[in-house]
Each structure stands twice: as C-alpha cells, then as structure tokens.
Amino acid sequence: MTQTQDAPVASRTRTFSWTDPSEHVKLLATRSGLDILRAMSAGEVPPPPIFQLIGGSGLHAEPGSVTITLDPQEFHYNPIGTVHGGIISTLLDTAAACSVQSTLPIGVGYTSMDLNVKFLRAVTVTSGTLTCTGAVLQSGRRTALAEARLTDAQGRLVAHATSSCLLFELPKA
C-alpha cells in the first residue's frame, strides 16, 4: 500500500514575506559592506530575501567576519529526515561571502565564484541553533578567499566550506 492509502499525510503550511532586493543593491553605492551588514544586524535594513526564505535568525558582522544563526525546522528537511545539504550550503556561502562583503568599501561589489563544502555530521531539529561563522582568509584587488564553519548547539563542527569571491567596481548610477 502507498502512504496515502495507509494514512493521510499531515499537511503543514508556511508563509513568509520579503523586501525588494533592489533596495539592498542601491545601498552599495552609498555605504560600505560592513555598514550595510551592521544595519541589517540592527534591524535598520531588512535581511536579503534568501535569509528570510530559509528562516535565518541572527546576523553579526565585524571587519572580515560574519556570523549567522539558524534554528533547523522541518521545512529544511530532505527525504531522509535531515536538513538538506542545500540549506547547509546556503548558510556556509552566506557567511563566507558576507565576511568578504564586510571588508568592501563603498561602490565595490562581489559574487561567489565557487563553494567547496564538506559535510561532517547530520543536522536535524534536535541539533539546536546552528551557528555559521565566516572569515576572510585573503583578499586582493580582484578576488578574496574566505572560509565558513557551521556548528550545532553543542559546538560540534557539522560542516566547513571555502569560497572564492570575485570583487568588482559597481557601475556608476
């Protein structure tokens, strides 16, 4: 028998909203990367849509380092009952790339060129709050290298990543 014949599956819903992402882009022409990230942390600027989509719960930025948090939820699960690797990768990419953003002056943008992820332990809702800290390892005129470490509520390393970012001047408006 199929699952639907055995018993009905309990349906759950989730509703969220987001802000216009073009507002974040406009800030790059007038504020440094660190200023933008700190404004997000203080609630003066809304987080980007991806952070709202995954349910991110915290952001702290210092020069060259960004820490984000997330409480794992059922809607993060893959078919085998653990947090999907894409969610974990999103956290790692965000922390690594935003650590690069925290070093950028007004008018300079960036984009991830690659992300190398190592998954070390399964994550579920019982893992507790996940903390992901990114740090810039090296930064030049055109590229930057960063890493990110994801730990569970017990401080155990659950995933690690390195990322290269391309740095570029934004077009003048």
Side-chain angles (χ1 to χ4, degrees), residues 86-97:
I87 297 296
I88 293 169
S89 296
T90 298
L91 290 171
L92 293 163
D93 180 57
T94 301

Side-chain angles (χ1 to χ4, degrees), residues 99-110:
S99 69
V100 170
Q101 180 179 351
S102 74
T103 67
L104 300 180
I106 295 169
V108 176
Y110 69 98

Side-chain angles (χ1 to χ4, degrees), residues 14-164:
R14 178 174 178 239
T15 303
F16 68 97
S17 59
W18 64 93
T19 55
D20 181 354
S22 68
E23 296 303 313
H24 292 101
V25 175
K26 290 177 189 174
L27 292 174
L28 295 172
T30 61
R31 298 176 85 169
S32 73
L34 183 60
D35 288 344
I36 294 168
L37 291 166
R38 285 184 169 164
M40 284 182 202
S41 179
E44 299 162 11
V45 172
I50 187 63
F51 202 63
Q52 294 170 330
L53 175 67
I54 65 171
S57 57
L59 169 74
H60 177 76
E62 294 297 327
S65 179
V66 168
T67 299
I68 58 175
T69 56
L70 176 105
D71 292 313
Q73 304 294 322
E74 283 183 342
F75 59 80
H76 295 132
Y77 277 20
N78 59 27
I80 61 170
T82 61
V83 172
H84 191 280
I87 297 296
I88 293 169
S89 296
T90 298
L91 290 171
L92 293 163
D93 180 57
T94 301
C98 285
S99 69
V100 170
Q101 180 179 351
S102 74
T103 67
L104 300 180
I106 295 169
V108 176
Y110 69 98
T111 189
S112 298
M113 296 188 328
D114 61 32
L115 182 69
N116 297 303
V117 176
K118 300 295 182 196
F119 302 102
L120 305 171
R121 139 184 339 266
V123 177
T124 66
V125 295
T126 62
S127 298
T129 300
L130 302 176
T131 302
C132 192
T133 301
V136 174
L137 300 175
Q138 187 278 333
S139 188
R141 289 183 318 119
R142 295 181 185 239
T143 62
L145 176 66
E147 71 172 348
R149 299 171 50 87
L150 182 66
T151 57
D152 64 13
Q154 288 74 44
R156 298 177 297 189
L157 186 64
V158 298
H160 177 268
T162 57
S163 176
S164 300

